[in-house]
Amino acid sequence: MNAIKRAQAPTPKFFKTLRAIGLVLAAIGSAVFAAPIALPTAIITLGGYLAVAGGVVSAVSQLTVELKSAENAVE
């Protein structure tokens, strides 16, 4: 199964929820990182970590497929 078919295959409900949480984390991290006011270095660093972690969680959740879909694609 290639990456395009995998991304288009149905995603289980748990991973849809996890993907949404990851997108929210990435949005919060990006907002903190790009804030127009001066923030402490620790907060900026935390925002960067949130953005990266949210992006990774969202990407992994998007590429997770249901077992039945994966078996049909292999055949």
Side-chain angles (χ1 to χ4, degrees), residues 14-72:
F14 172 75
F15 287 101
K16 287 181 184 179
T17 305
L18 198 60
R19 182 181 61 204
I21 292 169
L23 289 173
V24 169
L25 284 176
I28 291 170
S30 298
V32 168
F33 192 70
I37 59 173
L39 294 172
T41 306
I43 302 293
I44 300 278
T45 303
L46 180 64
Y49 288 145
L50 281 175
V52 170
V56 169
V57 167
S58 296
V60 170
S61 295
Q62 178 63 40
L63 294 178
T64 304
V65 297
E66 293 179 359
L67 185 59
K68 293 176 187 176
S69 298
E71 289 173 353
N72 291 339

